[in-house]
DNA sequence: TGGCATTTACGAAAACTATCGTACATTTGA
DNA sequence: TCAAATGTACGATAGTTTTCGTAAATGCCA
């Protein structure tokens, strides 16, 4: 599998694009600058570099270019998770899961989704026996 | 809260120290070099810098210094998780949990632990109602 | 049309990270 | 005792990431 390694800043931009879909530099920058202190050209440059690295696609048909994430959120999530489980959680996925549930106060609705998910996994497993 | 931002390499070293407890540079380096290709002085330098940054403590009473992680595994896990949930999982902890359970083939034992954990949370919640 | 605002392009500096060579100190055991 | 082995200190360099200034292109509208 091709290992992608977006930097911290690049992940922030990807996160915005995953959430909002195709966007201009201006749109991304406006969101980014709510939590971060950097000039417009900085965001622009980052996104241009990300395009070179093929982390982003862009549509240049109009003057104001429109960027889209070129790597999937799922794949990226999986790779980051795996690395994190290995280095920070001593290889234990359940450790990570419990830590995540523990603090980041999940709503009752979210917890239900997870229970549902677990029981589905269980069924699946019995079937394959 | 003080935001700590260990780099990738620093996390690898912290991971080793969390697992093995107080260790010398040599011990850390021997483990590190199983999966990574870098010279001894590189590891040394990294750990010295980490000491300056107060990521590690060290005991210099004997010639061979002994290093200890100065930040807790739990705190570090929590901070990295929170950031990851925000930037990569659109703020949804349950999304992260399901993704983690999905692929990183958890053992049946691990899944049981998590079910147990969830049902404990449930009880706790009823009690507080 | 002409000028202002917005955008892209580009280069370069600044900051940070990782790597290693070399010098010096300490320990050990032949 | 002294040479080899092992360890720390330190500086330099290469590589990467982040930042921004400036110039050129484009579109808009008074």
């Amino acid at each position: 599998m091709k290992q992608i390694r977006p930097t911290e800043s690049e992940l922030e931009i990807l996160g915005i694009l995953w959430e909002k879909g195709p966007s201009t530099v201006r749109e991304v920058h406006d969101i980014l600058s709510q939590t971060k202190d950097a000039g417009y050209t900085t965001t622009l440059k980052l996104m241009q570099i990300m395009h070179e690295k093929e982390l982003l696609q862009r549509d240049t048909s109009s003057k104001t270019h429109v960027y889209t994430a070129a790597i999937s959120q799922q794949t990226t999530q999986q790779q980051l998770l795996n690395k994190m489980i290995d280095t920070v959680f001593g290889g234990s996925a359940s450790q990570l899961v419990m830590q995540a549930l523990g603090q980041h106060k999940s709503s009752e609705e979210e917890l239900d989704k997870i229970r549902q998910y677990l029981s589905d996994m269980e069924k699946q497993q019995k079937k394959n026996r």
Side-chain angles (χ1 to χ4, degrees), chain A:
Chain A
M1 193 202 296
K2 189 173 65 173
Q3 266 318 62
I4 45 181
R5 296 208 353 132
T7 68
E8 201 45 42
S9 299
E10 288 172 345
L11 277 180
E12 287 172 0
I13 289 173
L14 283 170
I16 292 171
L17 289 176
W18 285 326
E19 166 145 7
K20 293 192 40 89
S23 309
T24 64
V25 174
R26 171 65 54 195
E27 290 166 333
V28 170
H29 176 69
D30 283 351
I31 294 177
L32 212 51
S33 59
Q34 286 169 15
T35 57
K36 199 183 175 179
D37 195 13
Y40 174 83
T41 51
T42 301
T43 306
L44 170 66
K45 183 70 172 188
L46 267 174
M47 291 176 71
Q48 286 171 338
I49 290 173
M50 290 171 76
H51 176 245
E52 275 173 31
K53 293 188 190 173
E54 304 197 316
L55 291 175
L56 304 184
Q57 291 180 280
R58 72 175 167 185
D59 174 353
T60 58
S61 60
S62 60
K63 181 201 166 187
T64 303
H65 301 176
V66 177
Y67 289 80
T68 315
I71 61 179
S72 85
Q73 183 170 21
Q74 263 237 340
T75 306
T76 309
Q77 286 173 343
Q78 196 60 58
Q79 273 173 31
L80 294 179
L81 268 182
N82 286 341
K83 191 193 303 175
M84 192 158 171
I85 289 170
D86 279 355
T87 63
V88 188
F89 287 88
S92 161
S94 70
Q95 203 55 46
L96 173 140
V97 166
M98 289 189 281
Q99 183 81 17
L101 293 177
Q103 174 144 333
H104 207 280
K105 303 195 191 323
S106 318
S107 69
E108 192 49 37
E109 193 183 353
E110 285 204 312
L111 291 181
D112 276 344
K113 271 192 223 154
I114 294 169
R115 291 195 190 94
Q116 183 63 45
Y117 184 80
L118 280 172
S119 87
D120 284 354
M121 280 183 77
E122 204 163 9
K123 276 184 211 141
Q124 196 57 36
Q125 201 150 31
K126 280 196 183 120
K127 203 192 291 177
N128 291 341
R129 224 170 258 157

